[in-house]
Amino acid sequence: MEDGSRAERSRADILDAAVHVREAARSATSGATGVDTVLAALSEVMEYDHASLARWDPLRRRHTTLAGSYPDDATAYIETRLHHDPVFPVLRSPARGGLWLRDVPWQLLAASPGFQEVLCPLGIEDGVAQCLFAADGRYVGMLNVSTRRPRRTPDPARAVVTLLTEALAAAVAPRAGLPPEEIAAADPAADARHPDARRPGGLSPRELQVLAELTTGRTNREIAERLYITPRTVGTHIEHILAKLDLPNRAAAAARAAAWGIEPSR
């Protein structure tokens, strides 16, 4: 009875800690506090040796660490190489509730530079990588948590981390809470990336990215994989592009992009 009571108290403590994480994420989303407070609160949900919250930059096609405690070489891997790791396509699915290290097939770990070159030297034995998606399906960033000690099974923190992903995504999304037009207007990198800083045809920065991809003849699924969004979202963007530019099909849109000198990022 004592052990059961202790377990119940442990689950209750984790749920209480999850509430604090949501509060910290809400505060970070509003800009009242930094993202580091979110990671600090998360340590009460699950103890870790290293953790980070990183934002995905679709224009530079890399992650940017907003808060973290990994060594410099591990942070550099997360920012510039993780999205090329063989493990990344597995955990990037919006339907996946995070990828826990103990659940990764050993064949995949053997092929993963991130595991072999980064986690192994740190003595990591457990943890989770959780992709974060905005409400509209955009991939906005990632949570990485690592520990040198294996966690117990069953682990109530697993479900809690999954439930927190919406709040974490809001905390890492650029200018969370603002309309897309205001995000674009406030982001000089978005304008600098495109030949026409005034966004030709009234297209949003994301629509310009999709339009650029159409010049290559890629399918919706291929474009989705490159931009870290869903094929359905790509289709919606294409519909908006055709309507805004008054064009009949994607081939005409690709021709218009070529005439404007718009090319996809490499």
Side-chain angles (χ1 to χ4, degrees):
M1 180 67 68
E2 182 179 352
D3 290 342
S5 177
R6 185 180 299 115
E8 288 299 327
R9 285 199 303 272
S10 177
R11 282 192 285 270
D13 289 343
I14 289 174
L15 290 174
D16 285 343
V19 173
H20 296 155
V21 174
R22 288 179 63 87
E23 292 172 349
R26 189 178 299 111
S27 180
T29 300
S30 68
T33 57
V35 177
D36 55 322
T37 62
V38 181
L39 285 184
L42 189 64
S43 67
E44 298 299 322
V45 172
M46 58 178 293
E47 295 181 1
Y48 57 74
D49 292 289
H50 302 289
S52 75
L53 276 166
R55 173 184 296 158
W56 173 250
D57 185 336
L59 298 176
R60 300 171 64 196
R61 295 190 64 77
R62 57 164 288 165
H63 291 92
T64 299
T65 300
L66 303 180
S69 59
Y70 284 94
D72 290 345
D73 56 344
T75 297
Y77 190 91
I78 291 171
E79 292 186 335
T80 62
R81 297 175 59 195
L82 178 57
H83 52 290
H84 297 302
D85 194 289
V87 174
F88 191 72
V90 179
L91 63 90
R92 189 176 62 85
S93 168
R96 174 173 284 281
L99 185 61
W100 292 77
L101 184 58
R102 73 177 74 166
D103 296 336
V104 183
W106 67 266
Q107 300 95 328
L108 192 54
L109 289 180
S112 167
F115 180 74
Q116 300 295 335
E117 300 173 14
V118 178
L119 296 184
C120 276
L122 291 176
I124 300 303
E125 294 191 22
D126 210 342
V128 62
Q130 174 77 62
C131 283
L132 305 173
F133 295 87
D136 61 4
R138 288 177 299 117
Y139 172 67
V140 295
M142 175 176 287
L143 166 72
N144 284 281
V145 180
S146 301
T147 174
R148 297 187 181 93
R149 299 168 300 283
R151 296 182 60 79
R152 72 180 187 273
T153 303
D155 185 355
R158 283 189 173 222
V160 171
V161 170
T162 300
L163 292 173
L164 288 171
T165 55
E166 183 178 345
L168 296 176
V172 304
R175 291 298 185 93
L178 292 179
E181 295 79 8
E182 292 186 35
I183 295 174
D187 182 4
D191 287 340
R193 186 66 178 177
H194 297 286
D196 189 337
R198 293 171 297 178
R199 298 184 299 171
L203 301 181
S204 70
R206 176 63 88 185
E207 289 168 347
L208 283 171
Q209 285 183 311
V210 173
L211 178 63
E213 295 294 333
L214 291 179
T215 64
T216 67
R218 293 188 174 100
T219 65
N220 286 11
R221 182 169 296 279
E222 290 170 334
I223 294 173
E225 290 176 352
R226 281 178 53 81
L227 300 183
Y228 299 108
I229 55 180
T230 65
R232 178 178 295 181
T233 300
V234 172
T236 299
H237 284 313
I238 292 174
E239 290 178 3
H240 293 167
I241 290 169
L242 297 180
K244 288 182 178 181
L245 301 184
D246 193 23
L247 296 172
N249 52 47
R250 59 197 294 147
R256 180 69 58 84
W260 282 342
I262 297 175
E263 298 179 351
S265 60
R266 292 181 173 83

